[in-house]
Amino acid sequence: MSTNGNGQNEKPRIGVYVCHCGINIAGKVSIDEVTEFAKSLPNVAVSKEYKFMCSDPGQELIQKDIKENGINRVVVASCSPLMHEETFRKATGAAGINPFYFQMANIREHVSWVTKDKAAATEKAKALLGAAVRRVSLHQALEKRRVKVHPDVLIVGGGIAGIHSALTIADSGRHVLLVEREPTIGGHMAMFDKTFPTLDCAACILTPKMSQVKEHPNITLWTYSEVEKVDGYAGNFKVKVRRKPRYVNEDECVGCMMCVDHCVYKKGNVNDEFNQGLDKRKPIFIPFPQATPPVVVIDPESCLQLSKGKCKQLCAEACEKHAIDFNQQEEIKEVEVGAIILSTGFKTFNPMRTPQYGYGKYLNVYTSLEVERLVNASGPTGGEVIMRNGEQPKSVAIIHCVGSRDHKTNKHCSRVCCMYSLKLAHLIKERTESEVYNFYIDMRTPGKGYEEFYDRLLEEGTHFIRGRVAEVTDWALTPEEEGKLIVRAEDTMVGMPRRIPVDMVILSVGLEAQEDADDVRRMFGISCSKTGWFTERHPKLAPVSTATDGVFLAGACQGPKDIPDTVAQAGAAAAEALALVDRGYVELEPNTAFIVEEDCSGCKSCISMCPYTAITRDEEKGVAVVNEALCKGCGTCVATCPSGAAHQNLFLDEQIYAEIEGVLSYV
């Protein structure tokens, strides 16, 4: 009986276990026939079937045979290795043999789910099982390696997701570096006046958390900074961060605003980005009154001193702390961290891409984010809803799904535009007593209290018209339409076209991935969907993990989310990062590449092809060297090596050839 965990020189005694997976496999594959077939394969000592091999009784079945029947190799024919390979390896190892004396045959995703004919599916399952049995005889004992983990965590992005993750980790006693590229943290939530469905004051619930981040002893906050480069691996990342010059000494500035008041420009001369261009700011400014850190920043493009070299520098003279520094330069800082959380957020859809709605053409067509600033007490109008001509609207149309659920722009649902449209409808009606018309495709209100909020709007007298809007125009057909914006839509509830004249149109724009999402993806070695959202490792079993160990996702960088879902995911990402750094070590998978030095010609072909920069050249020996900690086992170097010096554990040539021969022998 082989229970020593090695068994390299012993004659293989293979145990084969065929899973029904309920009717997922058994509905298309004859389990009895495949189990009986396995008994005829070379070196198979035991062949059994079970309803659910991944269950505890299924795993106990394997362990019992290893201990009592001398099984020293295991093959399980069931689902995808991505789902349960680790489960069966642990079961194998717990019974006393090396966990890598295990092989999985995927007869669910590769057979039962894709093969209609039962007889053909059964034959295909036999072929895959035969291949696994041939291969597992050549498996070698491998061991996972452990490396220490740096205890600090890096969080990229200072919206509500990054803020919540940072506070969760910092409260546990770990140090966090929070990097935000804007001059302040807060993200999109800082722009909102109220949050749905409870109509909480966004600033009241967000700004205390922003202050906690600034004051927390375990958090280092770097705003106006961007990650430049990431090297290393899970537990030991080396990150370079570019700190942009504010031209203001952060340690000295107290946010008194004296410099802003004394700027040579008496009024703002640049579009205020935080107020969506509805207001003007000066070249020296603070994004909004509750900005964190409360430090001013100088825009080098509009500042006379920095752009032309000629200014009276009244701002510097007014600063009693002498914090203004026009000679400040960009800095590159290097830090080491054990885990990284990406919370880089989203951007809103640009409605200029849907010209039929008149954004940019008609002055009184606004985006939803612009109206968020209009209704905000700290916004450009002090919370008063007025149009660009200074008048209050008497009628408002809100158009849902602009830039979402549309094959011409974005197919995905923004998940938030129904609810924030209801919120804006409520706030506008409350402050202006306007007639408000919501044009929607269908209402999506799946969150806690969301449907009740929808009912409340119905009772308040907001009009709801079901149908996608065709056009917003100023082409009047009747005297009542003169001077108005006319919203043309098909009302699918009554089956007729409608023309609704209004004073103001709000476009409920969808959410999109950040423009630089692809660059961020490359930098951190993760993947994106076709629409640019960062991709999780598994949508159900690993929703905050990524393909790169140690890098986690939080918030709307993964896909559209509302605030409650964002905060919940941020907590999950923080928990995953803490689980990694608190353990103190990471285990490295042994399926890495290695170089046989005697065969290596030192041509460097593998070095340039490695996507993980895991290969370097030993100049003294003149051969390539693989860093096992960085290698992800992709096999690119093995396929590239012209002299056959590169090999990969678990994918040795003889193992792959045996697998191919196994398939060909039974088809």
Side-chain angles (χ1 to χ4, degrees):
M1 185 172 71
S2 171
T3 56
N4 61 5
N6 189 342
Q8 190 68 52
N9 299 319
E10 298 179 37
K11 185 175 186 297
R13 285 180 57 79
I14 302 171
V16 173
Y17 304 88
V18 185
C19 181
H20 293 238
C21 196
I23 59 169
N24 273 306
I25 296 173
K28 275 286 166 56
V29 175
S30 172
I31 302 297
D32 291 340
E33 196 175 327
V34 173
T35 307
E36 199 60 30
F37 163 78
K39 294 176 181 175
S40 67
L41 297 173
N43 300 319
V44 172
V46 172
S47 178
K48 296 180 178 177
E49 46 84 19
Y50 192 70
K51 291 282 185 187
F52 295 100
M53 282 304 303
C54 57
S55 65
D56 284 348
Q59 295 177 55
E60 288 167 5
L61 191 66
I62 297 171
Q63 292 171 339
K64 186 179 178 185
D65 283 342
I66 291 173
K67 293 175 180 174
E68 296 181 359
N69 294 321
I71 297 301
N72 58 18
R73 300 285 191 281
V74 174
V75 171
V76 175
S78 58
C79 55
S80 162
L82 184 66
M83 186 74 75
H84 279 305
E85 186 175 55
E86 190 61 25
T87 303
F88 294 123
R89 277 183 180 167
K90 285 181 179 175
T92 305
I97 65 172
N98 189 284
F100 293 93
Y101 286 150
F102 166 80
Q103 180 63 23
M104 210 163 175
N106 184 353
I107 61 170
R108 191 177 73 175
E109 284 86 344
H110 288 177
V111 179
S112 64
W113 281 3
V114 294
T115 311
K116 292 182 179 178
D117 181 72
K118 186 167 184 176
T122 302
E123 291 304 311
K124 192 174 174 183
K126 288 181 185 177
L128 294 182
L129 185 61
V133 167
R134 285 207 172 204
R135 181 193 219 282
V136 80
S137 298
L138 300 173
H139 275 205
Q140 298 177 353
L142 299 172
E143 298 293 334
K144 291 184 177 180
R145 288 182 56 240
R146 288 184 175 182
V147 294
K148 287 185 178 179
V149 168
H150 196 286
D152 292 355
V153 178
L154 168 71
I155 297 176
V156 185
I160 183 59
I163 289 171
H164 188 77
S165 296
L167 290 173
T168 303
I169 294 170
D171 285 344
S172 76
R174 294 297 179 187
H175 184 259
V176 176
L177 171 61
L178 177 57
V179 175
E180 165 60 49
R181 63 179 164 190
E182 298 296 331
T184 175
I185 57 173
H188 283 91
M189 187 175 173
M191 299 178 182
F192 304 156
D193 183 51
K194 306 280 187 186
T195 59
F196 60 75
T198 53
L199 298 178
D200 287 317
C201 165
C204 300
I205 56 179
L206 177 65
T207 53
K209 280 180 167 286
M210 293 165 62
S211 299
Q212 288 176 41
V213 168
K214 178 70 173 61
E215 302 300 328
H216 205 297
N218 288 337
I219 298 178
T220 298
L221 175 60
W222 284 355
T223 54
Y224 219 39
S225 305
E226 294 188 65
V227 174
E228 193 78 5
K229 188 179 180 186
V230 180
D231 290 319
Y233 49 90
N236 294 276
F237 292 107
K238 290 183 179 178
V239 183
K240 288 184 178 177
V241 180
R242 182 164 56 92
R243 302 212 65 194
K244 295 178 280 188
R246 277 178 179 265
Y247 304 104
V248 174
N249 189 328
E250 280 192 49
D251 296 330
E252 296 295 332
C253 180
V254 294
C256 66
M257 305 288 283
M258 290 295 288
C259 54
V260 180
D261 294 340
H262 285 78
C263 176
V264 293
Y265 288 102
K266 300 303 178 190
K267 294 182 180 179
N269 62 331
V270 181
N271 281 338
D272 187 332
E273 298 88 350
F274 191 78
N275 281 330
Q276 301 296 300
L278 297 173
D279 200 0
K280 299 285 186 183
R281 63 162 173 79
K282 295 181 179 180
I284 184 167
F285 67 102
I286 195 165
F288 58 99
Q290 299 79 27
T292 300
V295 177
V296 296
V297 60
I298 298 178
D299 174 8
E301 293 184 2
S302 55
C303 171
L304 287 177
Q305 178 61 33
L306 292 171
S307 61
K308 301 184 184 303
K310 293 180 180 178
C311 182
K312 296 177 182 177
Q313 300 186 17
L314 299 179
C315 55
E317 289 180 14
C319 181
E320 295 180 359
K321 304 288 287 185
H322 305 294
I324 308 294
D325 179 5
F326 290 112
N327 297 315
Q328 207 171 63
Q329 298 292 318
E330 186 175 281
E331 291 181 279
I332 300 292
K333 300 274 191 180
E334 185 166 320
V335 295
E336 294 186 14
V337 295
I340 297 172
I341 295 176
L342 295 178
S343 54
T344 51
F346 63 92
K347 70 180 177 74
T348 53
F349 175 78
N350 181 359
M352 298 289 277
R353 290 162 56 189
T354 51
Q356 67 270 28
Y357 295 145
Y359 183 76
K361 180 179 180 182
Y362 304 120
L363 286 176
N364 292 327
V365 177
Y366 294 79
T367 68
S368 46
L369 203 51
E370 289 173 339
V371 178
E372 290 280 2
R373 297 307 301 154
L374 281 181
V375 299
N376 196 301
S378 64
T381 60
E384 192 176 355
V385 182
I386 53 176
M387 299 181 291
R388 288 187 170 88
N389 60 7
E391 296 179 1
Q392 269 197 351
K394 294 179 181 175
S395 53
V396 178
I398 301 176
I399 302 175
H400 295 212
C401 298
V402 177
S404 57
R405 302 183 67 197
D406 186 345
H407 284 249
K408 294 179 180 176
T409 54
N410 296 305
K411 293 180 182 178
H412 62 262
C413 173
S414 73
R415 285 190 63 187
V416 291
C417 92
C418 281
M419 288 306 299
Y420 76 60
S421 297
L422 294 177
K423 178 191 72 175
L424 292 177
H426 169 82
L427 295 177
I428 290 169
K429 200 166 185 63
E430 180 183 70
R431 298 177 190 187
T432 66
E433 297 184 352
S434 303
E435 291 293 325
V436 180
Y437 301 85
N438 268 271
F439 292 85
Y440 68 101
I441 302 174
D442 55 51
M443 294 301 298
R444 297 188 170 184
T445 56
K448 185 178 180 181
Y450 289 9
E451 187 68 16
E452 291 87 338
F453 189 68
Y454 177 33
D455 291 340
R456 177 178 173 179
L457 266 290
L458 291 171
E459 292 170 2
E460 288 177 355
T462 299
H463 305 286
F464 287 89
I465 299 172
R466 194 183 75 177
R468 187 182 286 278
V469 171
E471 181 185 34
V472 175
T473 179
D474 61 353
W475 185 30
L477 296 181
T478 64
E480 292 76 21
E481 292 181 352
E482 292 290 344
K484 301 273 190 179
L485 292 170
I486 295 96
V487 181
R488 292 181 58 239
E490 180 186 5
D491 188 335
T492 58
M493 295 294 281
V494 297
M496 61 178 288
R498 300 279 298 270
R499 291 174 61 89
I500 308 291
V502 294
D503 297 320
M504 181 179 190
V505 171
I506 301 171
L507 305 180
S508 295
V509 290
L511 310 188
E512 293 182 328
Q514 294 277 20
E515 287 181 358
D516 61 348
D518 197 51
D519 296 334
V520 176
R521 175 191 71 78
R522 292 173 190 275
M523 189 185 303
F524 290 92
I526 63 174
S527 55
C528 284
S529 65
K530 288 181 180 176
T531 46
W533 304 108
F534 296 151
T535 309
E536 64 283 341
R537 178 176 294 176
H538 191 283
K540 295 179 177 62
L541 302 181
V544 300
S545 301
T546 67
T548 298
D549 293 337
V551 178
F552 305 99
L553 303 176
C557 63
Q558 186 196 26
K561 287 182 183 64
D562 59 15
I563 293 171
D565 285 355
T566 295
V567 171
Q569 196 194 21
E576 292 278 1
L578 278 174
L580 173 63
V581 298
D582 278 350
R583 190 166 59 234
Y585 66 86
V586 289
E587 286 190 330
L588 302 178
E589 285 292 322
N591 60 331
T592 53
F594 62 93
I595 305 292
V596 177
E597 292 185 2
E598 293 77 17
D599 297 336
C600 180
S601 63
C603 68
K604 303 182 184 179
S605 301
C606 54
I607 296 176
S608 60
M609 295 301 292
C610 178
Y612 302 100
T613 62
I615 306 179
T616 54
R617 189 170 188 268
D618 185 327
E619 296 298 340
E620 188 176 328
K621 294 181 179 178
V623 297
V625 178
V626 177
N627 183 335
E628 293 179 4
L630 291 176
C631 179
K632 299 295 180 187
C634 69
T636 305
C637 58
V638 181
T640 303
C641 181
S643 55
H647 303 271
Q648 184 174 333
N649 289 318
L650 274 183
F651 293 93
L652 299 176
D653 287 351
E654 56 269 30
Q655 294 167 349
I656 294 173
Y657 287 141
E659 194 168 10
I660 295 170
E661 288 171 1
V663 171
L664 297 178
S665 299
Y666 303 108
V667 293

